[in-house]
Amino acid sequence: MTILCVRFQLPEMYEAALPGLLGLLEEFTPVVEALPPDGALADLRGAERYFGRDAVELATLIRVRALAHHGVDCAIGAGPGPMLARMALREARPGAVRVVPDDPAAIAGFLADRPVRALPGVGGVTARTLCEYGLDTVDKVAAAPLSTVQRLVGARAGRELHEKANGVDRGRVVPNAVSRSLATERPFTRDELDPHRHRRALLSAAGELGARLRALDKVCGTLTLTVRYADRSSTTRSRTLAEPTAHSAALTAEAYRMYEALGLQRARVRAIALRAEGLSSAEHAAHQLTFDPVDEKVRRIEEVADRARAKFGPRAVMPGSLAA
């Protein structure tokens, strides 16, 4: 095992702690890729030789230091490549390391009988297409002829899918790589019909996305809203923002507009999700100046609230409707 995929058990919206935790990983290896808001990939090939320990021993040490220095526990997946490490993490419990040995037989056993959707990059459409032809598990895709898989999903995608199903992991850890999107979801404890509660969920989700973007010094150019219903169907809408932003008020206003455009009437909503896409550096983002003093005042208040949350926790400052 040379790759670790770590998910830190951070409190909700407390992504400000992530940079310090990434620094902890960098004490062991400089090859660390951030996976905001709460995860990271670490390539330990050099660290294993330098420290004279294997990946599992180093993972245990990382967990102990995260607890001792930051008071944060973590779950860790370990594997010979990023794909297998990510998949192993899904089965790892907090405080434990799930290992996929660097052995062809062990990798085949780990992937066998898993639904094809478990492979990274396989979406709903691709999974349905494969299932229609009986390729509903990873081992069946691995056993199928490459030409058959390529006819079903395309030449390039078919080759990549066939390699992944056979445990060929060509991914690599890219230091300081930027996540292309950030997402958050607000599930309801019961199927919710009240539009006021829907709007409260949107307010909370947009506030979290704004805080995460500002913590990463990023802005987003596109906002995507997904509403999931009681019958497990969903509706997704995306809009390109007038200007890239990390301003919570702007994200909330756009989320409200997309929600209103859906025209939901007595819809039984199970969950609402927001995704910020098209991320770029806030330093190079253009901002339309305005003579409205209210806008500037809101942005200054937002900066102060971010500092308060970083110091006292995510619930230190929040809208009154959410505090209620």
Side-chain angles (χ1 to χ4, degrees), residues 247-262:
H247 187 29
S248 293
L251 296 173
T252 302
E254 193 62 52
Y256 283 167
R257 283 192 285 268
M258 286 192 287
Y259 171 80
E260 296 297 338
L262 293 178

Side-chain angles (χ1 to χ4, degrees), residues 8-315:
F8 298 104
Q9 304 298 306
L10 297 177
E12 183 182 359
M13 291 178 58
Y14 200 51
E15 68 291 325
L18 185 60
L21 293 165
L22 294 178
L24 185 152
L25 292 175
E26 289 170 352
E27 294 176 5
F28 294 88
T29 173
V31 189
V32 176
E33 178 179 349
L35 301 176
D38 59 359
L41 285 169
D43 189 333
L44 298 182
R45 280 177 291 189
E48 288 176 312
R49 293 192 296 270
Y50 182 83
F51 291 102
R53 299 171 182 261
D54 62 25
V56 176
E57 292 174 323
L58 292 174
T60 303
L61 186 55
I62 287 169
R63 177 181 174 252
V64 171
R65 290 195 179 183
L67 281 169
H69 292 250
H70 300 273
V72 174
D73 203 351
C74 58
I76 301 176
M83 179 191 77
L84 293 168
R86 285 173 183 262
M87 295 179 70
L89 177 63
R90 297 174 190 170
E91 299 182 356
R93 301 184 309 276
V97 181
R98 177 66 170 93
V99 178
V100 180
D102 189 4
D103 175 73
I107 293 173
F110 174 76
L111 294 174
D113 297 325
R114 294 179 182 274
V116 69
R117 186 72 183 268
L119 290 174
V122 177
V125 175
T126 300
R128 284 194 297 272
T129 300
L130 293 170
C131 289
E132 288 175 358
Y133 289 87
L135 303 179
D136 55 344
T137 61
V138 174
D139 54 323
K140 291 180 180 178
V141 175
L146 172 61
S147 58
T148 299
V149 180
Q150 289 179 315
R151 281 198 299 271
L152 293 177
V153 300
R156 180 177 177 180
R159 179 176 294 279
E160 292 177 354
L161 175 60
H162 198 260
E163 288 183 347
K164 289 177 181 178
N166 282 281
V168 178
D169 191 350
R170 298 190 184 279
R172 61 190 183 94
V173 180
V174 182
N176 300 323
V178 176
S179 177
R180 296 180 181 178
S181 66
L182 295 176
T184 186
E185 185 173 17
R186 292 295 182 270
F188 296 106
T189 55
R190 61 182 183 182
D191 298 335
E192 187 58 67
L193 287 80
D194 187 351
H196 295 293
R197 292 185 179 274
H198 298 167
R199 291 173 65 89
R200 283 181 60 188
L202 288 171
L203 175 62
S204 172
E208 178 185 341
L209 281 183
R212 288 166 60 182
L213 286 167
R214 294 190 297 275
L216 295 169
D217 200 26
K218 302 295 175 185
V219 293
C220 75
T222 302
L223 191 64
T224 299
L225 167 67
T226 300
V227 179
R228 296 186 175 87
Y229 306 107
D231 62 357
R232 299 188 179 183
S233 64
S234 63
T235 302
T236 300
R237 295 290 184 271
S238 294
R239 283 192 182 177
T240 300
L241 305 177
E243 63 179 34
T245 186
H247 187 29
S248 293
L251 296 173
T252 302
E254 193 62 52
Y256 283 167
R257 283 192 285 268
M258 286 192 287
Y259 171 80
E260 296 297 338
L262 293 178
L264 302 181
Q265 296 182 1
R266 304 291 296 174
R268 297 170 59 197
V269 176
R270 183 159 294 177
I272 290 177
L274 282 180
R275 178 178 292 276
E277 300 175 305
L279 304 192
S280 59
S281 172
E283 181 181 358
H284 301 105
H287 171 55
Q288 178 63 51
L289 299 178
T290 175
F291 292 107
D292 184 2
V294 175
D295 180 72
E296 187 61 30
K297 181 179 179 180
V298 170
R299 291 178 183 271
R300 289 201 300 270
I301 292 173
E302 192 172 66
E303 292 176 4
V304 175
D306 285 342
R307 291 198 293 270
R309 282 190 286 263
K311 186 173 183 179
F312 300 107
R315 298 183 63 84

